[in-house]
Protein backbone atom coordinates (compact mmCIF):
# COMPACT_ATOMS: atom_id res chain seq x y z
CA UNK A 1 0.00 0.00 0.00
CA UNK A 2 2.79 2.37 0.93
CA UNK A 3 4.63 1.48 -2.29
CA UNK A 4 1.55 2.22 -4.40
CA UNK A 5 1.03 5.52 -2.64
CA UNK A 6 4.66 6.44 -3.24
CA UNK A 7 4.33 5.70 -6.94
CA UNK A 8 1.15 7.76 -7.14
CA UNK A 9 2.86 10.67 -5.35
CA UNK A 10 5.81 10.57 -7.75
CA UNK A 11 3.52 10.51 -10.78
CA UNK A 12 1.47 13.41 -9.41
CA UNK A 13 4.62 15.43 -8.71
CA UNK A 14 5.87 14.90 -12.25
CA UNK A 15 2.55 15.99 -13.70
CA UNK A 16 2.59 19.15 -11.56
CA UNK A 17 6.11 19.95 -12.73
CA UNK A 18 5.08 19.45 -16.37
CA UNK A 19 2.11 21.80 -15.96
CA UNK A 20 4.23 24.42 -14.23
CA UNK A 21 6.89 24.18 -16.91
CA UNK A 22 4.24 24.61 -19.61
CA UNK A 23 2.83 27.67 -17.89
CA UNK A 24 6.27 29.11 -17.45
CA UNK A 25 6.95 28.51 -21.12
CA UNK A 26 3.77 30.32 -22.10
CA UNK A 27 4.74 33.28 -19.94
CA UNK A 28 8.21 33.28 -21.44
CA UNK A 29 6.88 33.10 -24.98
CA UNK A 30 4.41 35.87 -24.19
CA UNK A 31 7.20 38.05 -22.85
CA UNK A 32 9.20 37.44 -26.00
CA UNK A 33 6.20 38.30 -28.17
CA UNK A 34 5.59 41.49 -26.22
CA UNK A 35 9.24 42.41 -26.54
CA UNK A 36 9.32 41.99 -30.30
CA UNK A 37 8.00 45.53 -30.84
CA UNK A 38 10.40 47.83 -29.12
CA UNK A 39 9.18 51.39 -28.57
CA UNK A 40 11.79 53.84 -29.84
CA UNK A 41 12.28 57.31 -28.39
CA UNK A 42 12.59 60.06 -31.01
CA UNK A 43 12.58 63.85 -30.88
CA UNK A 44 10.95 66.35 -33.22
CA UNK A 45 11.72 70.08 -33.19
CA UNK A 46 9.09 72.43 -34.61
CA UNK A 47 9.94 75.37 -36.85
CA UNK A 48 8.16 77.80 -34.50
CA UNK A 49 6.11 77.84 -31.32
CA UNK A 50 3.20 75.40 -31.53
CA UNK A 51 0.61 76.59 -34.07
CA UNK A 52 -2.03 75.18 -36.39
CA UNK A 53 0.74 74.52 -38.92
CA UNK A 54 1.75 71.72 -36.53
CA UNK A 55 -1.78 70.37 -36.17
CA UNK A 56 -0.99 67.00 -37.72
CA UNK A 57 1.76 66.37 -35.17
CA UNK A 58 -0.59 67.01 -32.26
CA UNK A 59 -3.37 64.99 -33.87
CA UNK A 60 -0.98 62.05 -34.27
CA UNK A 61 0.10 62.33 -30.65
CA UNK A 62 -3.45 62.68 -29.27
CA UNK A 63 -4.75 59.71 -31.26
CA UNK A 64 -1.86 57.40 -30.35
CA UNK A 65 -0.58 57.15 -33.92
CA UNK A 66 3.08 57.49 -32.98
CA UNK A 67 2.67 54.80 -30.32
CA UNK A 68 0.89 52.50 -32.79
CA UNK A 69 3.93 52.82 -35.03
CA UNK A 70 6.34 51.93 -32.23
CA UNK A 71 7.47 55.47 -31.40
CA UNK A 72 7.57 57.61 -28.30
CA UNK A 73 7.83 61.15 -29.67
CA UNK A 74 9.05 64.17 -27.73
CA UNK A 75 7.97 67.47 -29.32
CA UNK A 76 10.26 70.45 -28.81
CA UNK A 77 9.09 73.98 -29.70
CA UNK A 78 10.92 76.24 -32.11
CA UNK A 79 11.14 80.01 -31.88
CA UNK A 80 13.26 82.99 -32.90
CA UNK A 81 16.28 81.68 -31.01
CA UNK A 82 15.91 78.08 -32.19
CA UNK A 83 17.40 76.72 -35.41
CA UNK A 84 15.72 73.43 -36.15
CA UNK A 85 18.36 72.69 -38.80
CA UNK A 86 21.25 73.12 -36.39
CA UNK A 87 19.50 70.94 -33.82
CA UNK A 88 18.90 68.16 -36.33
CA UNK A 89 22.40 68.45 -37.81
CA UNK A 90 23.97 68.20 -34.36
CA UNK A 91 21.98 65.07 -33.51
CA UNK A 92 20.17 66.70 -30.58
CA UNK A 93 16.88 65.82 -32.28
CA UNK A 94 16.01 63.29 -34.96
CA UNK A 95 13.32 65.04 -37.01
CA UNK A 96 12.80 68.70 -37.82
CA UNK A 97 10.41 71.06 -39.56
CA UNK A 98 11.66 73.91 -41.76
CA UNK A 99 10.83 75.70 -45.00
CA UNK A 100 12.06 74.26 -48.27
CA UNK A 101 14.54 77.04 -49.05
CA UNK A 102 16.17 76.63 -45.62
CA UNK A 103 16.73 72.95 -46.35
CA UNK A 104 18.33 73.70 -49.72
CA UNK A 105 20.56 76.46 -48.32
CA UNK A 106 21.79 74.19 -45.53
CA UNK A 107 23.88 72.46 -48.20
CA UNK A 108 26.15 75.52 -48.28
CA UNK A 109 26.95 74.87 -44.64
CA UNK A 110 27.83 71.26 -45.39
CA UNK A 111 24.57 69.98 -43.89
CA UNK A 112 22.98 67.27 -46.00
CA UNK A 113 19.28 67.02 -45.26
CA UNK A 114 16.53 64.97 -46.85
CA UNK A 115 12.87 66.07 -46.92
CA UNK A 116 10.43 63.19 -46.41
CA UNK A 117 7.09 65.06 -46.45
CA UNK A 118 5.74 68.59 -46.61
CA UNK A 119 2.83 70.06 -44.69
CA UNK A 120 2.09 72.87 -47.13
CA UNK A 121 2.11 72.46 -50.89
CA UNK A 122 2.75 76.16 -51.38
CA UNK A 123 3.97 79.15 -49.45
CA UNK A 124 1.45 81.35 -47.60
CA UNK A 125 3.97 84.22 -47.59
CA UNK A 126 2.32 87.35 -48.94
CA UNK A 127 2.23 91.12 -49.03
CA UNK A 128 -0.59 92.81 -47.17
CA UNK A 129 -2.31 96.05 -48.22
CA UNK A 130 -5.13 98.21 -46.97
CA UNK A 131 -8.35 97.31 -48.74
CA UNK A 132 -8.57 98.97 -52.12
CA UNK A 133 -4.82 99.60 -52.19
CA UNK A 134 -3.78 96.22 -53.58
CA UNK A 135 -1.74 95.52 -56.70
CA UNK A 136 -2.14 93.36 -59.78
CA UNK A 137 1.60 93.27 -60.53
CA UNK A 138 4.61 93.44 -58.21
CA UNK A 139 6.08 96.34 -60.20
CA UNK A 140 3.25 98.40 -58.72
CA UNK A 141 5.07 98.30 -55.38
CA UNK A 142 7.19 101.17 -56.69
CA UNK A 143 6.38 104.45 -55.01
CA UNK A 144 5.25 102.68 -51.83
CA UNK A 145 6.73 102.03 -48.43
CA UNK A 146 7.31 98.29 -48.11
CA UNK A 147 8.01 96.77 -44.72
CA UNK A 148 10.06 93.64 -45.32
CA UNK A 149 12.67 91.64 -43.42
CA UNK A 150 16.14 92.57 -44.73
CA UNK A 151 17.63 89.75 -46.79
CA UNK A 152 14.50 87.58 -46.80
CA UNK A 153 14.86 85.26 -49.76
CA UNK A 154 11.62 85.97 -51.58
CA UNK A 155 12.29 89.73 -51.55
CA UNK A 156 15.72 89.18 -53.08
CA UNK A 157 14.06 87.00 -55.70
CA UNK A 158 11.42 89.65 -56.49
CA UNK A 159 14.14 92.25 -57.03
CA UNK A 160 15.65 90.05 -59.76
CA UNK A 161 12.30 89.70 -61.53
CA UNK A 162 11.02 93.28 -61.28
CA UNK A 163 12.49 96.75 -61.22
CA UNK A 164 11.71 97.74 -57.64
CA UNK A 165 14.12 100.67 -57.48
CA UNK A 166 11.24 102.98 -56.65
CA UNK A 167 10.31 101.10 -53.48
CA UNK A 168 11.02 102.73 -50.11
CA UNK A 169 12.27 99.60 -48.36
CA UNK A 170 11.85 99.63 -44.58
CA UNK A 171 12.79 96.94 -42.07
CA UNK A 172 9.94 94.70 -40.94
CA UNK A 173 9.85 94.46 -37.15
CA UNK A 174 6.90 92.15 -36.65
CA UNK A 175 4.78 95.10 -35.55
CA UNK A 176 2.14 96.74 -37.76
CA UNK A 177 1.73 100.14 -36.10
CA UNK A 178 3.22 102.07 -39.02
CA UNK A 179 1.38 99.97 -41.58
CA UNK A 180 -1.93 100.67 -39.86
CA UNK A 181 -1.39 104.43 -39.98
CA UNK A 182 0.03 104.58 -43.52
CA UNK A 183 -2.77 103.67 -45.89
CA UNK A 184 -0.55 103.30 -48.96
CA UNK A 185 2.11 101.19 -47.24
CA UNK A 186 2.71 97.49 -47.75
CA UNK A 187 3.95 94.88 -45.32
CA UNK A 188 5.09 91.30 -45.52
CA UNK A 189 2.67 88.85 -43.98
CA UNK A 190 1.56 85.27 -43.72
CA UNK A 191 -1.84 84.68 -45.25
CA UNK A 192 -2.64 82.43 -42.28
CA UNK A 193 -2.10 84.95 -39.49
CA UNK A 194 -1.66 88.71 -40.10
CA UNK A 195 -5.01 89.28 -41.83
CA UNK A 196 -6.67 87.87 -38.70
CA UNK A 197 -4.84 90.31 -36.44
CA UNK A 198 -5.88 93.20 -38.68
CA UNK A 199 -9.45 91.94 -38.55
CA UNK A 200 -9.32 92.13 -34.74
CA UNK A 201 -8.33 95.79 -35.03
CA UNK A 202 -11.17 96.49 -37.45
CA UNK A 203 -8.83 97.08 -40.40
CA UNK A 204 -9.81 95.68 -43.78
CA UNK A 205 -6.89 94.32 -45.76
CA UNK A 206 -6.06 92.51 -48.99
CA UNK A 207 -3.14 90.20 -49.73
CA UNK A 208 -1.09 89.08 -52.71
CA UNK A 209 0.83 85.82 -52.52
CA UNK A 210 4.54 85.95 -53.28
CA UNK A 211 4.07 82.70 -55.19
CA UNK A 212 2.33 84.73 -57.91
CA UNK A 213 5.85 85.81 -58.91
CA UNK A 214 7.04 82.21 -59.27
CA UNK A 215 8.85 81.76 -55.96
CA UNK A 216 6.95 79.05 -54.12
CA UNK A 217 8.96 76.74 -51.85
CA UNK A 218 7.30 73.99 -49.86
CA UNK A 219 6.49 75.17 -46.33
CA UNK A 220 6.78 73.33 -43.01
CA UNK A 221 8.76 70.43 -44.42
CA UNK A 222 9.51 67.29 -42.39
CA UNK A 223 13.16 66.31 -42.76
CA UNK A 224 16.08 64.32 -41.34
CA UNK A 225 19.79 64.22 -42.03
CA UNK A 226 21.01 62.00 -44.85
CA UNK A 227 22.96 59.87 -42.37
CA UNK A 228 19.97 59.40 -40.08
CA UNK A 229 17.82 58.32 -43.01
CA UNK A 230 20.34 55.75 -44.19
CA UNK A 231 20.66 54.22 -40.72
CA UNK A 232 17.04 54.47 -39.52
CA UNK A 233 14.77 53.81 -42.49
CA UNK A 234 12.18 51.90 -40.44
CA UNK A 235 11.95 54.74 -37.93
CA UNK A 236 11.59 57.33 -40.68
CA UNK A 237 8.85 55.28 -42.32
CA UNK A 238 7.02 54.82 -39.01
CA UNK A 239 7.23 58.52 -38.14
CA UNK A 240 6.16 59.68 -41.61
CA UNK A 241 3.21 57.28 -41.62
CA UNK A 242 1.93 58.62 -38.29
CA UNK A 243 2.67 62.21 -39.33
CA UNK A 244 0.58 61.99 -42.51
CA UNK A 245 -2.29 60.18 -40.81
CA UNK A 246 -2.23 62.86 -38.12
CA UNK A 247 -2.81 65.49 -40.80
CA UNK A 248 -5.68 63.44 -42.19
CA UNK A 249 -7.29 63.45 -38.75
CA UNK A 250 -6.61 67.13 -38.11
CA UNK A 251 -8.73 68.13 -41.10
CA UNK A 252 -11.93 67.04 -39.37
CA UNK A 253 -10.97 67.65 -35.74
CA UNK A 254 -8.88 70.83 -35.81
CA UNK A 255 -10.88 72.67 -33.18
CA UNK A 256 -10.42 69.84 -30.69
CA UNK A 257 -6.72 69.45 -31.49
CA UNK A 258 -6.19 73.22 -31.32
CA UNK A 259 -6.97 73.05 -27.61
CA UNK A 260 -3.97 70.75 -27.20
CA UNK A 261 -1.79 73.07 -29.25
CA UNK A 262 -2.81 75.96 -27.02
CA UNK A 263 -1.62 74.04 -23.96
CA UNK A 264 1.88 74.07 -25.43
CA UNK A 265 1.54 77.69 -26.58
CA UNK A 266 -0.76 79.56 -24.16
CA UNK A 267 0.04 82.89 -25.83
CA UNK A 268 -2.05 82.05 -28.88
CA UNK A 269 -5.85 82.30 -28.82
CA UNK A 270 -8.12 79.52 -30.00
CA UNK A 271 -9.80 81.92 -32.43
CA UNK A 272 -6.41 82.63 -34.00
CA UNK A 273 -5.68 78.91 -34.29
CA UNK A 274 -9.07 78.40 -35.92
CA UNK A 275 -8.34 81.12 -38.49
CA UNK A 276 -4.93 79.62 -39.22
CA UNK A 277 -6.30 76.08 -39.58
CA UNK A 278 -9.02 77.18 -41.98
CA UNK A 279 -6.84 79.52 -44.06
CA UNK A 280 -4.05 76.94 -44.43
CA UNK A 281 -6.39 74.12 -45.46
CA UNK A 282 -5.98 74.73 -49.20
CA UNK A 283 -2.19 74.64 -48.82
CA UNK A 284 -2.29 71.36 -46.86
CA UNK A 285 -5.13 69.43 -48.46
CA UNK A 286 -5.49 71.11 -51.84
CA UNK A 287 -3.12 71.80 -54.75
CA UNK A 288 -0.97 68.74 -55.51
CA UNK A 289 -2.12 67.03 -52.30
CA UNK A 290 -5.69 66.83 -53.58
CA UNK A 291 -4.57 64.41 -56.27
CA UNK A 292 -1.43 62.81 -54.87
CA UNK A 293 -2.04 62.80 -51.12
CA UNK A 294 -0.95 64.87 -48.14
CA UNK A 295 2.79 65.46 -47.91
CA UNK A 296 3.52 64.86 -51.59
CA UNK A 297 6.48 66.58 -53.26
CA UNK A 298 7.85 66.66 -56.79
CA UNK A 299 11.27 66.64 -58.39
CA UNK A 300 10.22 69.56 -60.60
CA UNK A 301 9.34 71.81 -57.65
CA UNK A 302 12.55 71.05 -55.77
CA UNK A 303 14.60 71.45 -58.93
CA UNK A 304 13.08 74.87 -59.61
CA UNK A 305 13.85 76.00 -56.07
CA UNK A 306 17.46 74.84 -56.32
CA UNK A 307 17.87 76.75 -59.59
CA UNK A 308 16.35 79.91 -58.10
CA UNK A 309 18.57 79.85 -55.03
CA UNK A 310 21.63 79.19 -57.19
CA UNK A 311 20.78 82.16 -59.40
CA UNK A 312 20.48 84.31 -56.24
CA UNK A 313 23.92 83.16 -55.13
CA UNK A 314 22.50 81.46 -52.03
CA UNK A 315 23.88 78.03 -53.00
CA UNK A 316 27.32 77.67 -54.53
CA UNK A 317 26.52 74.84 -56.90
CA UNK A 318 23.49 73.11 -58.33
CA UNK A 319 22.71 69.54 -57.38
CA UNK A 320 20.11 66.97 -58.35
CA UNK A 321 16.72 67.41 -56.71
CA UNK A 322 16.54 63.72 -55.74
CA UNK A 323 19.47 64.30 -53.39
CA UNK A 324 17.34 66.44 -51.11
CA UNK A 325 13.93 64.80 -50.99
CA UNK A 326 12.17 61.44 -51.16
CA UNK A 327 8.54 60.38 -51.27
CA UNK A 328 9.42 56.72 -50.57
CA UNK A 329 8.02 56.90 -47.04
CA UNK A 330 4.72 58.53 -47.87
CA UNK A 331 1.75 56.17 -47.59
CA UNK A 332 -0.13 55.32 -50.75
CA UNK A 333 -3.12 57.59 -51.21
Amino acid sequence: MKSNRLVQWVILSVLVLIVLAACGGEESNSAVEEGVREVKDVKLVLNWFAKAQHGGVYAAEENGLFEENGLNVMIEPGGPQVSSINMVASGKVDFGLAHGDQIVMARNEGIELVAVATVMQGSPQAFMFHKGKGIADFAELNGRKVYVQPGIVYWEYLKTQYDLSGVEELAYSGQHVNFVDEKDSVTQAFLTSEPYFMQLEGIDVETKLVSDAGYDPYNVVLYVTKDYLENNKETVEAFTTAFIEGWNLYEGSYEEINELIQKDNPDIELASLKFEAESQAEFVYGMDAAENGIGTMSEERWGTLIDQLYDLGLVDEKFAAEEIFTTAFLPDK
Side-chain angles (χ1 to χ4, degrees):
M1 292 290 293
K2 289 183 179 180
S3 175
N4 289 338
R5 287 180 180 176
L6 179 61
V7 171
Q8 291 175 350
W9 181 84
V10 171
I11 293 172
L12 180 60
S13 297
V14 170
L15 290 173
V16 169
L17 288 173
I18 291 172
V19 171
L20 290 174
C23 291
E26 288 176 1
E27 290 178 0
S28 177
N29 289 337
S30 176
V32 170
E33 289 172 0
E34 290 177 1
V36 167
R37 184 155 203 179
E38 178 184 355
V39 176
K40 185 171 183 178
D41 293 332
V42 297
K43 292 182 180 179
L44 165 72
V45 60
L46 307 179
N47 59 309
W48 196 249
F49 301 114
K51 298 182 69 181
Q53 63 185 247
H54 310 123
V57 174
Y58 283 87
E61 181 182 47
E62 173 65 9
N63 289 278
L65 299 179
F66 289 126
E67 186 179 359
E68 286 179 13
N69 283 276
L71 302 175
N72 176 42
V73 177
M74 178 182 294
I75 302 171
E76 297 196 9
Q81 306 303 320
V82 177
S83 167
S84 77
I85 288 176
N86 287 342
M87 290 184 70
V88 171
S90 67
K92 291 180 180 178
V93 297
D94 308 295
F95 295 83
L97 294 173
H99 299 321
D101 46 15
Q102 295 174 310
I103 292 172
V104 174
M105 290 189 294
R107 292 281 292 237
N108 261 22
E109 300 175 27
I111 303 172
E112 292 188 288
L113 305 174
V114 181
V116 295
T118 185
V119 172
M120 296 190 190
Q121 291 298 314
S123 172
Q125 292 171 315
F127 286 103
M128 186 167 66
F129 314 84
H130 287 269
K131 188 173 182 179
K133 302 289 186 176
I135 61 172
D137 185 86
F138 288 100
E140 296 174 37
L141 290 172
N142 284 303
R144 306 249 199 135
K145 290 181 178 179
V146 177
Y147 291 92
V148 64
Q149 180 184 334
I152 196 166
V153 177
Y154 66 73
W155 182 245
E156 298 306 312
Y157 171 80
L158 283 172
K159 288 192 289 187
T160 67
Q161 304 299 305
Y162 303 89
D163 176 9
L164 298 178
S165 57
V167 168
E168 184 179 350
E169 186 177 330
L170 299 168
Y172 174 77
S173 66
Q175 304 298 318
H176 296 98
V177 176
N178 292 331
F179 168 76
V180 169
D181 292 336
E182 298 162 350
K183 301 304 180 185
D184 289 322
S185 66
V186 181
T187 183
Q188 71 177 64
F190 269 88
L191 193 69
T192 54
S193 55
E194 274 85 357
Y196 171 75
F197 300 135
M198 293 297 99
Q199 179 182 315
L200 290 180
E201 295 186 37
I203 299 168
D204 293 327
V205 295
E206 300 173 1
T207 56
K208 183 172 180 62
L209 286 168
V210 173
S211 60
D212 290 347
Y215 186 76
D216 194 21
Y218 291 118
N219 261 227
V220 194
V221 179
L222 177 67
Y223 69 93
V224 293
T225 63
K226 181 180 178 181
D227 287 343
Y228 186 87
L229 178 62
E230 291 176 350
N231 295 313
N232 299 275
K233 289 185 178 179
E234 290 185 2
T235 302
V236 173
E237 181 174 12
F239 191 101
T240 306
T241 297
F243 181 81
I244 296 300
E245 183 55 30
W247 276 105
N248 279 319
L249 292 177
Y250 185 68
E251 183 177 18
S253 62
Y254 62 88
E255 292 193 81
E256 173 188 344
I257 300 300
N258 285 348
E259 294 180 7
L260 304 175
I261 294 174
Q262 191 189 44
K263 288 181 180 179
D264 275 3
N265 183 10
D267 292 332
I268 194 167
E269 297 179 357
L270 285 174
S272 178
L273 286 170
K274 184 175 186 293
F275 179 90
E276 184 182 8
E278 293 174 353
S279 58
Q280 76 182 14
E282 174 61 18
F283 294 91
V284 179
Y285 305 107
M287 304 178 181
D288 289 345
E291 180 178 352
N292 301 316
I294 297 170
T296 190
M297 301 174 290
S298 75
E299 181 178 348
E300 180 183 3
R301 288 280 301 282
W302 279 108
T304 296
L305 179 61
I306 292 167
D307 289 344
Q308 289 172 333
L309 295 176
Y310 175 80
D311 291 341
L312 289 171
L314 297 175
V315 294
D316 294 333
E317 59 183 35
K318 293 184 181 182
F319 53 91
E322 58 263 28
E323 293 181 30
I324 207 166
F325 90 104
T326 178
T327 57
F329 303 101
L330 293 174
D332 293 332
K333 187 183 176 186

